[in-house]
Amino acid sequence: MMLFNLKHIKMKQNYLLIATLAILMISCKSKIDKATYVDFQKKGNETATLAQSVLLANVGQAMQSRGPVYAVEFCNLKASTIVDSLNIANNCIINRVSAKNRNSENVLKTETELILWTIFERGILSDTLIKDNQKLIYYKPIRTALPACLKCHGEIGSDIDSATSEKLKNLYPADLATGYKLNDFRGLWKIEFTFKD
């Protein structure tokens, strides 16, 4: 009987999430015409893909040249600069947000982001675009896509060696971004575009 109750609760939670998503999407699409939605969703996806590939290439190079401890230092010092240069080149604001953030600036900040986090965590969406005042905001999941990601985001003691773990503690005392396995959902790309009706 307990198993049925848990299944029933899970089903209700899924229906609630789907209903919330439907309301969110209906309210979003009622404010954005279809052509604009498609255009900015495409721009958002292209920008998120570019940001991901540029960061992975730079972090991968840091990892190969001097190992994971250096890669952690590199991310701490250079990731924001890399993203800022992409912001300027793409006329947008690129962020990463997560419920298990490493950098305190990347915490989920709004109720909408908390709802979206739960929806993406359950695999209900592959990406989305919402309107917030004079902004169109694109969200897309970030996954631990490569085995090298686990050297800084995997299990401490098995994937993450002691030197890297110590460096993480020193640079990010409130770090929550460990314990992942390959292909786990880890965060969201958040791409903000200025938009006027």
Side-chain angles (χ1 to χ4, degrees), residues 24 46 100 135 185:
L24 190 65
E46 288 170 352
K100 289 179 64 180
K135 293 179 184 173
F185 169 58

Side-chain angles (χ1 to χ4, degrees), residues 47 80-94:
T47 305
S80 294
T81 306
I82 292 168
V83 170
D84 287 345
S85 67
L86 291 170
N87 287 339
I88 294 164
N90 292 282
N91 197 26
C92 62
I93 299 170
I94 304 167

Side-chain angles (χ1 to χ4, degrees), residues 11-24:
M11 284 177 56
K12 277 187 169 183
Q13 288 174 340
N14 283 337
Y15 289 133
L16 180 62
L17 280 172
I18 291 168
T20 302
L21 173 63
I23 291 166
L24 190 65

